[in-house]
């Protein structure tokens, strides 16, 4: 009998302040986590803020939910912070105790959920999905970086384990004093994101003929994404290939200014599902200059679409790209190196296609099923450890104000 067959299904609660149809990497990962564990036979309960104007039935299949009040996040249109409903969660979990609570976000709802879990002595695992301490530098708050790091460390160290997407980030956080950091890798949907979704009609709408170069960026259009470097790289590419087009897929606070200052750029707004997959597959080169990712799901989505990626050598790019084989990377923070990487990729269209084909082959080995199997075993181990520790945690008395 295999190990999984001998383990009972779990009652799992996932607490997150973002979930589809909201569009971001954390929401996407939470959907795969919730639906994947449900499909593996576990009982899932989702706790999240009620979304503004959300429509009924957007979940792929019925999942038990508790919706809590939320408030808009300044600068993040469409996203909401959950309010700190500590007593509501404590009553809920006191009546129907989960085997384990996974807390994906560090907002007021996440803090309340962790405090309630600790008070009830329910095993709790937190996710480190966003580099908040790095974002501060892009919004004139760099002086708060150390304070934010300290706050995050205090939060995560009260949980039984903290899950991060890469071994690289695990080493970084461990060196910063975070304890019991484990890797929760990322998969990619290679059926949705595939080169067969390429559409010549979509390319034509961008002004690209069959032999013209379409350069893509997909993601949030915001200061922390380092898009000035993408613009600089495309300008260098355009000098060599004047018919090239730069297509930006996504939304964010910098979108209006970017479109105003660069009217020739094609700004499509946010895209989802098969529409997003067609945009990836219809491109020829993907520029991803961000320096603030915990992973960067767009990198593996582009690779699955046979779209060669130019990125800095960290996070998803470090984990998945062998530079010059299935993409091109530059040393972390090397702006000139990034521009040079973009230029090198376009010199030979045959090589560019070969990079994309190799990227697709790499993505085919990055299944969500394998990723979730590893996380499942980690959660069982957390529960086993807690069952062997009858003493209450010192933080059990902590109650948020």
């Amino acid at each position: 009998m295999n190990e999984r067959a001998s383990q009972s299904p779990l009652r799992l609660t996932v607490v997150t302040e973002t979930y589809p149809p909201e569009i971001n990497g954390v929401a996407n990962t939470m959907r795969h986590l919730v639906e994947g564990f449900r499909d593996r036979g576990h009982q899932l309960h989702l706790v999240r803020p009620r979304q503004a104007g959300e429509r009924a039935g957007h979940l792929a299949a019925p999942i038990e939910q508790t919706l809590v009040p939320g408030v808009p996040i300044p600068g993040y249109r469409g996203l909401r912070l959950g309010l700190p409903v500590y007593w509501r969660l404590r009553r809920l979990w006191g009546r129907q105790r989960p085997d384990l609570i996974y807390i994906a976000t560090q907002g007021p709802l996440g803090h309340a959920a962790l405090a309630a879990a600790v008070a009830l002595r329910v095993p709790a695992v937190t996710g480190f999905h966003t580099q908040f301490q790095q974002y501060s530098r892009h919004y004139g708050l760099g002086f708060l970086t150390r304070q934010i790091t300290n706050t995050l460390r205090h939060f995560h160290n009260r949980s039984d384990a903290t899950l991060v997407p890469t071994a690289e980030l695990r080493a970084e956080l461990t060196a910063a004093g975070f304890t019991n950091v484990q890797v929760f890798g990322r998969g990619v949907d290679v059926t949705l994101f595939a080169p067969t979704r390429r559409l010549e009609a979509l390319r034509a709408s961008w002004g690209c003929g069959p032999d013209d170069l379409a350069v893509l960026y997909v993601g949030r259009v915001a200061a922390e994404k380092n898009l000035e470097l993408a613009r600089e790289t495309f300008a260098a590419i355009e000098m060599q290939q004047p018919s090239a087009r730069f297509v930006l897929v996504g939304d964010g606070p910098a979108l209006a200014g970017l479109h105003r200052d660069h009217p020739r750029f094609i700004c499509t707004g946010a895209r989802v599902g098969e529409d997003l997959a067609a945009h990836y597959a219809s491109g020829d080169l993907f520029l991803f200059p961000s320096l603030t990712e915990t992973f960067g799901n767009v990198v593996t989505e582009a690779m699955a679409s046979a779209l060669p990626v130019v990125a800095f050598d960290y996070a998803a790019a470090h984990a998945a790209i062998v530079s010059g084989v299935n993409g091109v990377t530059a040393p972390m923070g090397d702006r000139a190196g990034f521009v040079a990487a973009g230029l090198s990729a376009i010199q030979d269209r045959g090589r560019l296609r070969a990079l994309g084909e190799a990227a697709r082959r790499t993505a085919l080995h990055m299944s969500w099923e394998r990723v979730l199997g590893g996380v499942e075993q980690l959660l069982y181990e957390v529960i086993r450890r807690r069952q062997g520790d009858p003493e209450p945690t010192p933080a059990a008395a902590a109650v948020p104000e």
Side-chain angles (χ1 to χ4, degrees):
M1 180 182 295
N2 64 39
E3 183 179 4
R4 184 165 185 263
S6 67
Q7 295 170 326
S8 300
L10 298 174
R11 177 172 173 81
L12 300 173
T13 293
V14 173
V15 180
T16 177
E17 274 152 303
T18 183
Y19 198 80
E22 294 170 338
I23 303 170
N24 59 75
V26 179
N28 180 57
T29 299
M30 288 305 97
R31 177 179 65 82
H32 283 289
L33 182 73
V34 168
E35 296 179 1
F37 274 121
R38 178 205 60 202
D39 293 344
R40 295 174 77 87
H42 301 292
Q43 186 176 353
L44 268 294
H45 180 199
L46 179 63
V47 179
R48 62 173 179 84
R50 184 180 299 277
Q51 298 169 3
E54 69 174 286
R55 63 188 186 278
H58 68 269
L59 296 178
I63 292 173
E64 182 184 357
Q65 295 188 80
T66 294
L67 303 182
V68 306
V71 294
I73 303 176
Y76 282 72
R77 187 169 61 188
L79 299 185
R80 300 173 73 82
L81 284 173
L83 297 184
V85 290
Y86 169 82
W87 288 109
R88 180 176 175 183
L89 296 177
R90 185 160 176 175
R91 287 192 297 270
L92 174 68
W93 296 333
R95 291 193 307 268
Q96 197 169 26
R97 181 183 179 89
D99 294 311
L100 183 140
I101 299 167
Y102 180 76
I103 302 166
T105 49
Q106 299 85 36
L109 175 60
H111 278 266
L114 182 56
V118 169
L120 293 168
R121 297 178 57 198
V122 177
V125 171
T126 53
F128 196 99
H129 293 274
T130 305
Q131 297 269 31
F132 289 111
Q133 75 281 20
Q134 293 189 16
Y135 279 23
S136 62
R137 299 168 186 153
H138 297 276
Y139 291 93
L141 300 173
F143 63 95
L144 293 177
T145 299
R146 179 176 294 182
Q147 181 179 336
I148 293 171
T149 300
N150 291 342
T151 299
L152 290 172
R153 181 173 56 241
H154 175 72
F155 172 81
H156 287 283
N157 284 359
R158 293 178 66 215
S159 70
D160 292 271
T162 295
L163 304 190
V164 299
T166 65
E168 176 187 19
L169 184 56
R170 176 177 60 188
E172 177 185 329
L173 293 183
T174 299
F178 289 69
T179 57
N180 199 16
V181 182
Q182 305 292 333
V183 175
F184 164 18
R186 297 293 185 269
V188 61
D189 185 342
V190 296
T191 301
L192 175 61
F193 299 106
T196 53
R197 296 191 183 274
R198 188 176 180 92
L199 296 176
E200 291 303 325
L202 179 59
R203 289 175 53 83
S205 74
W206 298 340
C208 287
D211 298 323
D212 294 327
L213 186 74
V215 179
L216 259 67
Y217 164 83
V218 178
R220 182 167 164 78
V221 184
E224 70 270 13
K225 296 300 185 179
N226 197 25
L227 288 178
E228 179 59 25
L229 180 56
R231 185 208 61 75
E232 181 182 338
T233 304
F234 178 74
I237 290 171
E238 193 177 29
M239 289 288 291
Q240 296 191 12
Q241 299 197 20
S243 65
R245 295 291 183 266
F246 191 25
V247 182
L248 296 101
V249 181
D251 198 358
L255 181 60
L258 187 71
H259 192 50
R260 180 192 64 239
D261 296 340
H262 303 282
R264 293 187 66 249
F265 291 176
I266 298 152
C267 300
T268 73
R271 303 284 167 159
V272 297
E274 293 182 1
D275 187 17
L276 172 60
H279 279 70
Y280 276 119
S282 300
D284 300 302
L285 180 67
F286 187 79
L287 300 181
F288 194 61
S290 175
L291 290 162
T292 59
E293 303 302 307
T294 54
F295 187 72
N297 292 316
V298 294
V299 169
T300 51
E301 290 170 357
M303 294 176 70
S305 306
L307 182 60
V309 176
V310 173
F312 286 115
D313 185 21
Y314 82 112
H318 181 77
I321 295 176
V322 178
S323 191
V325 175
N326 60 355
V328 188
T329 59
M332 188 70 168
D334 182 355
R335 294 179 64 89
F338 187 96
V339 175
L343 289 173
S344 71
I346 67 164
Q347 297 306 311
D348 182 333
R349 293 299 289 270
R351 176 174 176 267
L352 189 64
R353 286 190 293 272
L355 289 174
E357 291 166 359
R360 171 69 179 177
R361 290 194 294 271
T362 298
L364 290 174
H365 296 285
M366 302 177 69
S367 74
W368 273 109
E369 180 63 21
R370 182 166 60 178
V371 168
L372 292 174
V375 177
E376 182 182 56
Q377 293 309 311
L378 188 150
L379 299 187
Y380 276 120
E381 179 57 33
V382 167
I383 293 169
R384 283 194 293 267
R385 285 204 312 265
R386 286 293 294 270
Q387 289 172 340
D389 178 16
E391 294 301 318
T393 169
V399 177
E401 296 180 358

